[in-house]
Every structure is written in structure tokens, then in C-alpha cells.
Amino acid sequence: MSSMNTASRSSRFWNDQSTFQFLAYVVVILAGGWWLLGQLAIVLRPLLIAIFLCYVLLPSYSRLRRRQVPSVVCVILLSGSAIIVIFSLSMFVYANVLSLAEEGPELQAKAINLIKESYRTLGASLPDWMTAESGTDTKRPEVYLAETMPGLLQGAVNIALGSLIEACVAGLYLLFLLMGAERLPMRVRRAYEPERADQILHVAGRINSAIIGYLKAKCLSSLIFAVPVFLLLTIAGVKFALLWAVVTFACNFIPYVGSVIAYSLPTVFIILQFEGTTQAFVIAAMLLAIHLICATLIEPMVIGRAVGISPLIVLAALAVWGLIWGILGMILAVPLTVVIKIVLENLQETQPIAKLIEE
């Protein structure tokens, strides 16, 4: 009898027209949101970068205000310094990527030579698809490399140029965000009833604390990570050592996947620069040791449980934001997920969902 009642309730649920209307609304909202995020990427990405930079600068802004420094002076000082740093760093990365692209033909020739030497050394132990002649349908790896490497380098140049433009726009957004940050609580209290305003400011305060704590810890751990990488590569004579340190710093904001990218890119370059000699593999091994030490000791000690989100949710967020906004989306994935989690916790209808995404 109980099973019949359960089946009846289930049947009524799926036959209820309002249920299908609700599901249709959800699908339309998700699809529309996905499309809008992709179309408005050029506007939203620099805005989000500026918002998170504003979080990084807010503690310094508060300290200056407590010392009776006028708000205009604080805004000019902090935003000006941030804009100079962002623009200089973006210009540096773009210039280095251009230089790297100019060395593309030389790197390509070294890569082809290394592949050919591998053929001669390994010989018959290689699989058939790797030893296929150029006249067959299967392309040899060196032929495929010769065709794809120029496109990859040009793609890197385009990404660096796009990042430079977005960094300039983010600096402009940052100026106005800092100007309005101090007056935001007053505006909220004028716009809403006292009880509702207190609730909104409480949620905003929790978001502020979570994002500031995460960004401060992540910036510190990324800097601790990037400095020994720079020192090692500089001492070893690796070209573009500072560029690889910047890549390591940025990729450390991408959970799980970032470490793989931060290690793989300079390692491939090291092997090509030193043409696969023992020196190249020694440097690569030392670089791997730095990554392992930072990932297993320093990162957990600095970050701890700063975000409180399930690793599965983090991976899903990386996939979704990476599909929408590429590498920058993956960098912003964790802070955005933290904000969504806090908002869900403070809405009675969505509190169960917030519990599901907790660690």
C-alpha cells in the first residue's frame, strides 16, 4: 500500500504542469545566463578582476583612513599604484611572449631534431604510428609539430595582447570601485528598510571576509611559490625566467590544473633550450621538487580550509568557468564559487544547496 501511494505521488509530481514549467524556466535561465556570460566576457572579466583587486586593496585603504588620510588621497594612491603595477606587468608579459614567438622557428627546429634523435635512439621500440612515413595518412610527430607550433605561438601572442587590454580596462574599473566603496553601506541603508539593509550588509561582510582571506592567503602562497622558481631558472641560465615565474604565480590560482600548466610550460622550454641534455633534465627535476614542496607543505599550511568548498565542486567550477572564459575563468572560478556559496547560505530556499557544495 505504501509503495502504491509513493508511486501515485511520483506520478502526480511528473504529471503536474507547473513542474515542467519550472524545469523549463530553469533550463532557459541557465542557457540564457551561459550565452550572456560568453557574449559579455569582454566587459565582465575586467570588472571581476577589478572587484577582486579592490578586495586586495581594501585592507590598505582602511588602514590609511584610520590614519586620517583623506579618502581622495587614498583612492589616488592605491588605484594609481595598482594601475601602474598591472599595466607594467601586462606589458612585460606581452613583450616576453613576443620575444618567445620570435624564437619560435629556432625552438621548432630544436624540437624536430630532438624527435629525430629519439627515433634513432629508440628505434624499433616505438609504436607504428610514431614511425609512420610522411607519405602515409598518419603524420609523423615532427610534421604535426611543424604545422601546429606557429599557430600555438600566435595564439599565445593574441592571449597576451587581450590580457593587456583587459588589464587597462580593469585598472579603470578599479579607480571607480575604490571611490564608491566607502559610501556603499550608506547607499544600501538609504535604499532598503533597516532590517533588509542589515541582512544585505551582513551577507556582503561575509563575502568580503571570505574573499579577502582567500586572496591574501593565495597571493602569499603564490609569491612563495614563484620566487624559488625564478631564482632556480635564473641561476640555471634559462631564458625568460621572470616570465615563467609570473606564469607560476598566475597558474597557482587555478586549483589542481594550474600546477600542471605551471610545471609543463617551462619544462618543455628548458628541454628545447638545452636540447635535451642532462642539464635540462636536472633543472626539470629541481623545478619538480619545488612544485612538490610548495604543493604538499606550503600551500596547505597557508591556505588551509580557506574556501570550504568540496573538491568535486571546485573541479566542476573550473570546467564551467574555463569553458565560458578560458584561463581567466579558471583563475576566477574559486572566488566566484565562494561568493555563490555565501549567497546560497543566506537564502532560506537555497540553504540545502549550499550544504551540498561544502567541503
Side-chain angles (χ1 to χ4, degrees), residues 80-114:
S81 302
I83 290 171
I84 291 172
V85 171
I86 293 169
F87 182 76
S88 302
L89 186 61
S90 301
M91 282 295 297
F92 165 79
V93 171
Y94 180 60
N96 275 261
V97 172
L98 281 178
S99 300
L100 183 61
E102 290 175 358
E103 294 193 10
E106 181 182 351
L107 294 173
Q108 180 176 309
K110 289 181 178 180
I112 291 173
N113 288 334
L114 283 174

Side-chain angles (χ1 to χ4, degrees), residues 139-163:
K139 291 181 179 179
R140 291 172 66 104
E142 68 267 27
V143 177
Y144 180 77
L145 179 65
E147 293 178 354
T148 57
M149 193 166 183
L152 292 175
L153 291 174
Q154 185 59 45
V157 172
N158 294 337
I159 291 173
L161 179 59
S163 300

Side-chain angles (χ1 to χ4, degrees), residues 226-308:
V227 168
V229 169
F230 171 71
L231 294 176
L232 169 65
L233 298 183
T234 301
I235 294 171
V238 178
K239 295 180 180 179
F240 309 111
L242 188 55
L243 174 63
W244 302 127
V246 171
V247 170
T248 301
F249 181 90
C251 288
N252 194 48
F253 282 83
I254 305 175
Y256 313 123
V257 182
S259 297
V260 177
I261 299 173
Y263 177 73
S264 300
L265 291 180
T267 299
V268 171
F269 181 82
I270 290 167
I271 293 173
L272 293 180
Q273 179 182 335
F274 295 99
E275 302 185 24
T277 59
T278 304
Q279 181 182 2
F281 291 101
V282 170
I283 298 171
M286 295 175 69
L287 185 62
L288 179 61
I290 292 174
H291 277 262
L292 291 176
I293 291 172
C294 290
T296 58
L297 296 179
I298 297 175
E299 183 83 359
M301 182 173 60
V302 175
I303 297 296
R305 294 176 176 265
V307 294

Side-chain angles (χ1 to χ4, degrees), residues 35-54:
W35 183 81
L36 283 175
L37 286 172
Q39 295 298 312
L40 299 177
I42 195 170
V43 176
L44 294 178
R45 284 188 307 204
L47 177 59
L48 286 172
I49 293 172
I51 290 173
F52 290 125
L53 285 174
C54 188

